[in-house]
Amino acid sequence: MRWATRAGVHIDRSACAWLIQRHVDTAAEFVFVTDPDQVPEDATPFDMRGVDLGHHGSDCTFETILRRYHLADPVLWRIAGIVHEADLEDDHYDAPEAPGFDVILRALSLANDDATVLAMTAPIFDAVYEYLRREVLTPGRTPGRTPDEPDQP
């Protein structure tokens, strides 16, 4: 299936592409357009003004996709908080990682085309998903630390 979004991907669009490819459509192909009229007829648009898979209420597109596809994984919702704060900066979530993600995505999008940004960020989102999954499975422990290393306060 083809999916279309605005050219010049940033945090919400790159995170959504990862979410779609990993949890909605493993065969997803992405098209980048500069005008909504350029969305191919066989593509599902996301993170574009006026489309179903866009910002709704206080939700960013990542959250909208989680709701539309009934993805209740708590790790995905933790990532949603980071994406939301990096995209909207409204203090809706406690996501201290958000400013770092914002800088990384802005820098990558300045130096690369959209397809390259998605290729570069997918492993990052995979790694963050695994890190947060371990955090959820072992509350109170910092993922990546050995059992004899003290956790940070």
Side-chain angles (χ1 to χ4, degrees):
M1 182 176 193
R2 294 201 317 165
W3 299 76
T5 193
R6 293 175 291 131
V9 297
H10 189 243
I11 183 70
D12 201 10
R13 281 169 273 155
S14 64
C16 288
W18 170 82
L19 177 65
I20 290 165
Q21 201 154 44
R22 294 295 189 268
H23 299 276
V24 176
D25 176 10
T26 57
E29 294 178 25
F30 297 98
V31 176
F32 307 98
V33 299
T34 56
D35 187 299
D37 292 337
Q38 297 172 331
V39 173
E41 286 187 28
D42 65 338
T44 302
F46 67 97
D47 203 39
M48 303 176 80
R49 190 175 305 278
V51 301
D52 183 49
L53 298 177
H55 287 216
H56 291 281
S58 64
D59 288 348
C60 66
T61 301
F62 192 94
E63 294 165 294
T64 297
I65 292 173
L66 289 177
R67 293 184 200 288
R68 293 291 190 276
Y69 289 90
H70 309 287
L71 299 171
D73 180 340
V75 178
L76 292 177
W77 278 99
R78 178 70 175 83
I79 293 172
I82 296 168
V83 172
H84 179 107
E85 286 306 318
D87 193 39
L88 301 174
E89 300 179 39
D90 63 2
D91 295 326
H92 187 72
Y93 294 97
D94 178 22
E97 309 88 346
F101 269 83
D102 184 49
V103 168
I104 290 169
L105 265 295
R106 287 184 188 282
L108 289 174
S109 66
L110 282 175
N112 300 282
D113 63 43
D114 292 324
T116 301
V117 171
L118 295 190
M120 295 173 82
T121 56
I124 294 170
F125 285 112
D126 287 338
V128 169
Y129 179 88
E130 181 58 25
Y131 179 87
L132 294 174
R133 188 184 71 79
R134 291 179 187 195
E135 188 177 77
V136 167
L137 292 176
T138 57
R141 293 210 41 85
T142 302
R145 292 188 183 272
T146 61
D148 58 332
E149 288 181 281
D151 282 329
Q152 296 180 349

